[in-house]
Each structure stands twice: as C-alpha cells, then as structure tokens.
Amino acid sequence: MASDSKATIGLALAGGGPLGAVYELGALSALAEALEGVDFNALDVYVGVSAGGFIAAGLANGVPPRKLAAMFVESETSDEPLSPSMLLKPAFREYARRAASVPPLLLNSIWHYISNPLSANFFESFQRLSRAIPTGVFNNAGIDDYLTRLFSAPGRTNDFRDLRHKLFLVATDLDTGESVSFGAPGFDHVPISSAVQASAALPGLFPPVEIENRYYVDGALKKTLHASVALDYGAKLLLCVNPLVPFDSQLAARRGLPRDRKLIEGGLPVVLAQTFRAIIHSRMQVGMSKYDSQYRGADVVLFEPNRDDADMFFTNMFSYSSRRRLSEHAYQKTRAELLRRYDELRPVLERHGVSIRLDVLRDPTRRLLGVSRRSRRPASQAMDATRELASTLADLETALDKRLRRIKRAA
C-alpha cells in the first residue's frame, strides 16, 4: 500500500553476516562523503535485512557510517565496540532444551517400533528423534543486548515510534513463511534491538527468535533486499547496497588470479557460500527488474561488489586485520565505482537534488580508517608480518607441489 508520506530518498541494505556488514559500512562511508545532498542519518526511509538491519537501525538513530565502521571494524579502539566474536557464543540454552527432549522422544520411538513390529519401519519410528537436534549453533541474543545499550544513549531510541525517520526491519515468520516488517503499523511496538536480532537469525546458525509467542528467522528467506518496502512507503530515490554476489573465478582469472583456481578446492564451506550467493543474487535481480514498471517515477540505484572480487569472497571475517582490510577495500572500490559510473549516475541523482563530488572521488589521500593501535606496536606488527610471510610461503609450497605433480603426470 502506498503511503501519503513525502518520503523521497531511502536506503535498503541487504544481509550478509559480519562479512556483509563490513562491506556495507565501507561502501556507505564512501557514498556519504561523495554524494552531495544525501545525509545518511536523515533519510526518509530505511529498510534493513539481517546484518543490514543492524546498520539501518544505527543510521536511523543518528550514528554516522564512519562511526558505525569504527564500532564494528575497529572494535579494539572504539568507545562502543561491537566484536563479531559475540555472535560465536554457543546456544547453550537451546542445547539444554533439546537434550532434555531426548529421553521422552527415545522412549516414544521405541514404543512405536515394538508396538508395530510388522508395519513399523525402523527409521520411520526413530525419525522423531530429529526433533532433538538444536535449531541453531550459536546464540545471537548478544545483538539485542548490545543494541539495547547502544540505543539507550541520549539522542537515540530503541522504539520505532520515537525515530525521526521511518525504519523497517524485515524478518520471516517461521510458522507462516511470510515476511514481517517490524516498524510497520502493528509491529512498531517491538523494540528495535529485538527486531534486528530476529531479522538476523539465520536458520541453522542461530535459533529462531521468539517475539510475543511468534518465532522469527532471517528476513532474507523471502527476498534479498526488500527494496519494495521503501518504494511502497514512497521513496523516489532508493539507494541499495547488496554485499553478496556469486564469485566468477573465470572472470577473476582473466584479470590476474591463477587460472587453475577452482572453488571446489575450498571444500564444503566455499561450495555452500557460492550456492547461497548465486540463489539470493539471482532472486534479487528478478525482483529489481520489475521495479521500473511497478514504481514508475522512482529510481533504484544498486551498489555491490564486482563478481571477480576475490577479497570479498575469501575474506575471513573473524580476523581483526581482515575486517580492517575489507572495509577499506569496500570504501575504495565504491569510490572507484562512483567514478566509473559517473555519466550513468549523474542524471539519475540530479533528478532528486543529489550530485557527485568529483573532487572527493579524485582525492587519492582519502581513506576510511586511520592508523590502528596495533600498527603503532612494532612487536605486534612484526609478529603479524611473520605470520603473513609464513602463510605466503605455505601457499607457495602448495602451488609448487601441484605444479610438480602435473609435470610428473605429463611425463
């Protein structure tokens, strides 16, 4: 349903876990300084899904992109640090609850099997034991706790209704499979922090989040961006950031990566990552292709990594140095993308009173992050360099072994 709101500029942020959050923060920091006429803390409407929900909630609460980047990326030096490691706490309560269900389930399965000796199949009788499998490995309640503290500061709020600008956080109702936009009428009384936790509850990784006797999981199950939520609200210019795209190893090889690199060499995690990215990205493209006809007069501008971006695909997000590197990488890549797409984007943005600052984009000295505290410690720096050298030598040794085996086979 279209709103009577005078909303003109909106922001839609997709999910992607810690990886996606770091990329989005780097990209948004670049956009914030290069787009004249856009205040990312005073947009008319924000839509966030999963990790994008955390960022959207922070922006709507007046936290600038660079400060959010410092909180998440430079967690060791920020005065309001958010470490991704807090998402790795085991879901002990879920483990205990499921473990307690094992004895009655087992007895029930045994009774079903022995009471139907001729018709009962062994696996059919005991399949009910699958109910004892935990619904998530880690506990993401830390998100709720952290954001509750963050939004209790002066000038911030944990109540959708008290925000100056409209915020929607999208989750999926587990029992109906329908998308729910927290912040919309009927769902705006839920604390923002709880809505972020629900929107980021990726099935299998985190247990579903209970809110008022309903259970919610990651909002990306239905759509990748949910950009239509902002367009329905009345956004005429919608800036979108999607951090996850499938990796094209052949394209990367043509641009300098080793030609014989195959994703299957990364094992199951890499195969699953590529599969997940391909599914959500193709789904997003299908949705966005319909916006021109469904929302005439609205412009949707998407920013995302290139498909040959190996840094984005292979980065270990639970490494401090990797978070710093990737955020800076996203910042610089977005600046380069704005320059490359200048002729395409300039007329689109100007229709909405927004211009691109070429002086900012052409300034080679601009960086997202300053010198880290770690880099000021020679011993730590030397240790990091030693580790990097050892890793490089190990990679070189592996490559040489592969080459020698190929030579032997050819001989």
Side-chain angles (χ1 to χ4, degrees):
M1 180 184 300
S3 170
D4 293 331
S5 166
K6 297 180 180 179
T8 55
I9 302 180
L11 176 68
L13 300 175
L19 175 81
V22 169
Y23 185 90
E24 288 180 341
L25 290 170
L28 288 170
S29 296
L31 294 173
E33 66 181 22
L35 298 183
E36 188 76 33
V38 176
D39 181 350
F40 280 89
N41 293 122
L43 299 179
D44 298 286
V45 56
Y46 300 84
V47 177
V49 182
S50 194
F54 164 81
I55 299 172
L59 294 172
N61 255 293
V63 186
R66 279 183 174 266
K67 182 172 178 61
L68 284 171
M71 291 160 53
F72 196 84
V73 177
E74 299 187 293
S75 56
E76 293 190 351
T77 59
S78 171
D79 55 352
E80 296 175 300
L82 170 65
S83 173
S85 62
M86 80 174 188
L87 300 176
L88 296 179
K89 295 179 180 178
F92 290 121
R93 181 175 297 180
E94 173 68 3
Y95 298 166
R97 188 169 73 90
R98 296 292 168 171
S101 71
V102 171
L105 285 174
L106 181 59
L107 289 174
N108 191 279
S109 298
I110 294 172
W111 174 253
H112 182 270
Y113 183 69
I114 63 176
S115 62
N116 301 277
L118 299 179
S119 60
N121 178 279
F122 179 84
F123 292 104
E124 180 182 345
S125 297
F126 284 85
Q127 70 178 0
R128 66 196 63 204
L129 284 173
S130 62
R131 300 176 191 174
I133 300 175
T135 57
V137 178
F138 301 111
N139 180 11
N140 70 345
I143 295 178
D144 193 345
D145 297 338
Y146 174 83
L147 291 180
T148 297
R149 295 193 304 271
L150 181 68
F151 295 154
S152 65
R156 301 173 188 168
T157 179
N158 201 24
D159 192 323
F160 285 99
R161 297 163 295 188
D162 292 337
L163 290 171
R164 296 180 180 179
H165 310 284
K166 195 62 181 177
L167 170 66
F168 297 101
L169 300 172
V170 186
T172 304
D173 187 313
L174 182 64
D175 291 308
T176 65
E178 296 300 317
S179 297
V180 172
S181 296
F182 291 105
F187 295 94
D188 54 359
H189 64 287
V190 174
I192 295 173
S193 57
S194 298
V196 172
Q197 182 191 1
S199 180
L202 183 64
L205 192 63
F206 302 112
V209 175
E210 182 181 4
I211 298 177
E212 297 180 346
N213 205 34
R214 304 294 299 179
Y215 288 88
Y216 298 94
V217 294
D218 199 303
L221 264 65
K222 290 283 288 186
K223 293 182 180 179
T224 302
L225 266 172
H226 289 276
S228 59
V229 174
L231 295 168
D232 286 337
Y233 185 75
K236 296 303 181 184
L237 171 63
L238 183 62
L239 304 175
C240 304
V241 183
N242 170 52
L244 300 184
V245 299
F247 181 66
D248 188 334
S249 60
Q250 293 183 340
L251 177 62
R254 290 196 295 271
R255 295 182 178 178
L257 284 184
R259 291 184 177 276
D260 59 352
R261 184 169 194 174
K262 300 294 184 183
L263 295 186
I264 196 170
E265 295 175 3
L268 181 61
V270 171
V271 172
L272 290 178
Q274 179 75 330
T275 303
F276 176 72
R277 288 164 182 252
I279 291 173
I280 65 171
H281 193 259
S282 63
R283 186 178 60 186
M284 182 193 70
Q285 288 179 315
V286 170
M288 295 194 72
S289 67
K290 301 177 181 177
Y291 292 157
D292 286 343
S293 59
Q294 290 179 344
Y295 303 97
R296 297 185 183 278
D299 291 306
V300 180
V301 180
L302 174 66
F303 296 92
E304 60 183 6
N306 297 324
R307 295 193 57 171
D308 64 337
D309 194 334
D311 283 337
M312 185 60 191
F313 188 79
F314 292 104
T315 293
N316 172 14
M317 269 298 84
F318 297 101
S319 162
Y320 174 82
S321 59
S322 294
R323 297 203 306 275
R324 285 184 56 86
R325 178 175 55 78
L326 182 64
S327 61
E328 188 68 45
H329 171 79
Y331 171 80
Q332 298 296 349
K333 285 289 185 179
T334 303
R335 284 166 48 82
E337 186 75 357
L338 283 169
L339 269 177
R340 185 184 69 82
R341 298 172 61 188
Y342 177 77
D343 291 337
E344 166 205 341
L345 295 177
R346 182 180 59 80
V348 175
L349 297 176
E350 285 183 349
R351 286 199 290 268
H352 305 277
V354 179
S355 60
I356 302 175
R357 293 190 56 184
L358 288 176
D359 60 318
V360 169
L361 296 177
R362 289 171 175 165
D363 182 356
T365 65
R366 287 183 177 265
R367 293 182 60 80
L368 173 62
L369 304 175
V371 179
S372 71
R373 185 179 298 176
R374 284 189 175 191
S375 66
R376 294 195 291 268
R377 289 183 286 193
S380 177
Q381 187 177 24
M383 188 176 296
D384 289 343
T386 301
R387 293 195 191 102
E388 185 174 352
L389 177 60
S391 177
T392 302
L393 289 173
D395 290 344
L396 178 59
E397 183 179 1
T398 301
L400 287 174
D401 286 342
K402 288 182 179 180
R403 185 64 64 184
L404 286 172
R405 286 196 295 269
R406 288 176 184 171
I407 292 173
K408 288 179 181 178
R409 285 197 298 269

